[in-house]
Amino acid sequence: MVRAQWTAEGGALAPERVDHAVKELTADIRREMAPFGGHVRRAFGSVWLVVFGVPRAHEDDAERALRAALALHRHFEAPGPAAPGATAAGPVPGSGAAATRPVTHLVVGTGEVVVTYDDSAPEPVEVTGEVLDACHHLLLQVPRGELWAADATVETGGADLGFAPVPGVPGVHRPAPARRDGRGPSGHPAEPPFLERTHELNLLRGAYQDSVRRQLPYLVTVLGEPGIGKTRLIGEFAAALRDGAGPPAPRVLHAGTPAFDAHTPYEPLAGLVRAYTGIRAGAPAAVVLPALTNVVRGLLPHADTGPIVTALAACLGLPAPAASAEGPDGGAVPREEVLGALRQFLEEAAAERPLVVVLDDLHRAADFVRSFVEDLTVRLGPVALLLIVGARSELLHTRPSWGCAKRRSVLLHVAPLSTAATATVIGAASGRRHPTPADDRRAALADGNPLFAQAYARAADAGADHPPAVLAVAAAQLDGLDRTTRSVLRDAAVVGGTLWRGAVEAVSQRDPEEVGRSLELLESRELLRRVRRSGVPGDVEYAFRYAVSRDVALAQLPGRVLVERHLRAADWAALLDVPRPGLLAFHHDRAIALAEADGTPVEAMERRAWEALVGASARAAAAGDDALAVSCLDHALDRCPPGEPERVWLVTHHRRIRDSLGARAHRRRPAVTG
């Protein structure tokens, strides 16, 4: 949230000047928020609400919000023209005074909200939630010109931004005084132990050695889910390479694809040029062109370097008129020339000295960048260049043929850690040498994901089931699915942590083939895991990989929809050939509890529940499974109210079956002879 105040010498601004000032300030806020993906809304008066994570959630929404707030803070701290009400020639007639720049109060919070849209625009129409009330409360306390952020926001996305606690105000951080630019010392916790990655390191090491020995380029794509340790693996390999490689020592270039606020469409390729030349992002032409010219002339002393420098400058985002004379298309350097120059640049750098190129988060890059990277090692000459691409598994969903039939191309999937290794990570993050019983539950929730393991360990005493960082990743994964698959995942979450294809079909009421395709896609996205032996004969069984994925999916369904979905799941469970009384009772209980919370009468639903269990008991008894029949009746009795007229019959029937079961067991008992 942002609140603005205007002051003037000798009096208040005239109403028409206030209106003009508010409109200009709104434009300023929109301009500063746009690179970070924030939606700007005027809440009321001189208060602006900026929402991140809608219409699509990102796992770094907390970081986006903090960086956007810091950018806005710097914008209003920097010297500049006065707010409307004063001009270079003096006060505007009728303004009553010369106005100063607005003083802003900024607050950043994190939490769940309810967002309402209409059919005409993707931006939110209405946003409600307790987090807004908390932010508004802080907005009334924050001093003039300051920025405050809630602890949860800083913990989730502000580790590298230089925030420090506000003295005397619990639960609030602000930019550290010495580092107002947000580039303070890293606040990341110590890195977790590097475990169970020897095989992957050996594959990378072997690819590099082959590249040097054969003087040929290699491509290794390191794939894995968020937080599994792709970047850590590549970093450990690069560090070992710098320390252990013999002469000539390799040059390592590292660039990542930013999630937001990219300096040029060519990211992360432009990052490689910056890493090699030492040019900082956003540098002016007066700095870029001489630096590029010197580097390119050193690599190509006998070539015409002018076109290459021009193309590389365009890759760095330099405006075309400053980079070169106008071309036939109005000055823009054609993409083919930029990519060709970059290919030649990397080849010459690798010819001079073995080169390791790391491109992280390539799944975020533009499609033409991914095409360039995929074909790079095939089109390079005979040079020692190892290209390591780090990406999430979704890269294969957008480009299923990635690396297929390419020479010297390897796909490396980073697997989850074992239970023991996960427990070790949790213990290290918690400062304990020996795991506690609670650590076993945290390890099960993390399921081999080092990022999740650290987050659960740090949040162990906070009382929350899922830490904000884990919730953010799960929400972003769900929002990354297409609409049909996301809907099927929500219906699967209703069925339970363990689910069956038939149950999801019944709950969603979709075409069975469509449900099957969606479940297979969710398995390939590592959100579901297929169970080899299904507990329902003839059906396909899955389990949620992470409990947080199911919880986030359920939270996206309104209560009235959940009631309907649980009743459908109960109807499916009631028709199983082999009754599952626990599953049947669970769905009826959830539907009744949700309906009660919504104020809906539940008498008919209660009767429906125990009658369904009595029916399941009859089928079990007919199949000769008296023990299962008794279990069904146990559940039915628990749900049949004392005043129900048929309860007497139910109790009698329950006793008769139990007695029959006991007599049968007595007849099977062997005689004892003395």
Side-chain angles (χ1 to χ4, degrees), residues 36-117:
F36 304 98
H39 288 278
V40 181
R41 290 177 49 80
R42 274 285 303 285
F44 49 88
S46 58
V47 176
W48 286 258
L49 173 65
V50 185
V51 186
F52 294 82
V54 293
R56 176 177 174 178
H58 305 87
E59 63 203 63
D60 55 0
D61 279 321
E63 181 184 353
R64 291 170 182 250
L66 289 170
R67 290 189 181 276
L70 287 167
L72 193 61
H73 196 212
R74 290 193 298 270
H75 173 76
F76 287 110
E77 275 191 330
T87 66
V92 174
S95 67
T100 64
R101 290 173 60 82
V103 176
T104 56
H105 312 240
L106 296 100
V107 169
V108 186
T110 300
E112 292 185 352
V113 295
V114 177
V115 184
T116 304
Y117 298 91

Side-chain angles (χ1 to χ4, degrees), residues 237-547:
F237 167 71
L241 202 60
R242 294 188 187 97
D243 297 339
R251 184 193 299 272
V252 179
L253 303 180
H254 189 286
T257 309
F260 52 87
D261 199 21
H263 294 281
T264 164
Y266 290 96
E267 297 288 356
L269 304 178
L272 298 179
V273 179
R274 296 189 204 104
Y276 191 93
T277 60
I279 298 172
R280 65 177 176 82
V287 174
V288 172
L289 293 177
L292 276 179
T293 301
N294 290 337
V295 170
V296 173
R297 284 177 179 172
L299 292 174
L300 297 161
H302 306 296
D304 179 11
T305 58
I308 298 178
V309 171
T310 297
L312 292 180
C315 178
L316 295 178
L318 202 66
S324 65
E326 288 197 6
D329 57 353
V333 181
R335 180 182 294 171
E336 293 76 12
E337 291 184 16
V338 174
L339 298 179
L342 184 60
R343 190 181 299 113
Q344 185 177 2
F345 174 79
L346 292 173
E347 182 174 314
E348 294 301 327
E352 180 186 66
R353 176 179 168 188
L355 189 64
V356 176
V357 174
V358 177
L359 295 174
D360 213 353
D361 292 322
L362 194 72
H363 58 279
R364 296 173 176 164
D367 191 62
F368 79 88
V369 171
R370 287 179 286 182
S371 296
F372 171 83
V373 172
E374 185 180 13
D375 294 336
L376 178 61
T377 55
V378 178
R379 301 185 64 178
L380 287 176
V383 292
L385 185 147
L386 175 61
L387 174 59
I388 303 176
V389 169
R392 295 185 182 168
S393 303
E394 62 198 64
L395 176 68
L396 299 185
H397 295 280
T398 56
R399 302 182 72 90
S401 62
W402 179 271
C404 290
K406 296 288 193 301
R407 294 174 296 166
R408 304 179 301 278
S409 176
V410 178
L411 285 178
L412 194 163
H413 291 264
V414 182
L417 298 176
S418 67
T419 302
T422 306
T424 301
V425 172
I426 290 174
S430 305
R432 293 188 296 270
R433 293 186 178 181
H434 304 289
T436 66
D439 287 342
D440 294 337
R441 178 175 179 271
R442 298 181 191 113
L445 290 170
D447 196 26
N449 187 305
L451 173 67
F452 286 12
Q454 281 195 297
Y456 281 115
R458 292 196 302 271
D461 300 326
D465 288 337
H466 304 297
V470 177
L471 286 169
V473 171
Q477 284 183 304
L478 265 63
D479 276 7
L481 302 171
D482 64 84
R483 180 176 298 180
T484 298
T485 306
R486 187 164 60 246
S487 178
V488 170
L489 180 65
R490 291 171 181 153
D491 294 332
V494 173
V495 177
T498 300
L499 56 120
W500 296 266
R501 175 173 169 172
V504 179
E505 291 171 6
V507 170
S508 66
Q509 296 184 339
R510 290 178 176 273
D511 177 68
E513 300 241 346
E514 187 177 56
V515 171
R517 286 193 301 269
S518 296
L519 292 175
E520 290 172 0
L521 176 60
L522 291 168
E523 182 190 8
S524 69
R525 289 287 185 99
E526 299 180 274
L527 291 168
L528 297 180
R529 178 186 288 130
R530 184 165 177 174
V531 179
R532 190 168 69 88
R533 294 185 184 276
S534 176
V536 175
D539 207 338
V540 183
E541 182 174 325
Y542 294 90
F544 271 87
R545 169 79 190 282
Y546 296 112

Side-chain angles (χ1 to χ4, degrees), residues 31 47 78 117 135 159 229 233 277 281 463 631:
R31 183 174 58 253
V47 176
Y117 298 91
C135 285
L233 169 65
T277 60
S631 177

Side-chain angles (χ1 to χ4, degrees), residues 560-571:
R560 63 184 182 279
V561 174
L562 281 172
V563 171
E564 180 185 15
R565 299 290 199 272
H566 277 293
L567 290 176
R568 291 178 189 172
D571 290 341

Side-chain angles (χ1 to χ4, degrees), residues 176-270:
R179 304 303 298 267
R180 295 295 285 251
D181 59 354
R183 295 191 294 271
S186 174
H188 278 303
E191 284 192 301
F194 188 64
L195 304 169
E196 299 184 339
R197 298 293 186 235
T198 303
H199 173 67
E200 290 87 346
L201 283 175
N202 287 338
L203 284 174
L204 290 171
R205 191 176 295 114
Y208 172 73
Q209 291 170 350
D210 280 353
S211 177
V212 173
R213 178 174 58 84
R214 301 176 61 191
Q215 289 292 294
L216 290 173
Y218 276 70
L219 167 64
V220 179
T221 306
V222 181
L223 295 172
E225 61 183 312
I228 203 66
K230 304 179 296 296
T231 302
R232 176 74 184 278
L233 169 65
I234 296 171
E236 292 286 340
F237 167 71
L241 202 60
R242 294 188 187 97
D243 297 339
R251 184 193 299 272
V252 179
L253 303 180
H254 189 286
T257 309
F260 52 87
D261 199 21
H263 294 281
T264 164
Y266 290 96
E267 297 288 356
L269 304 178

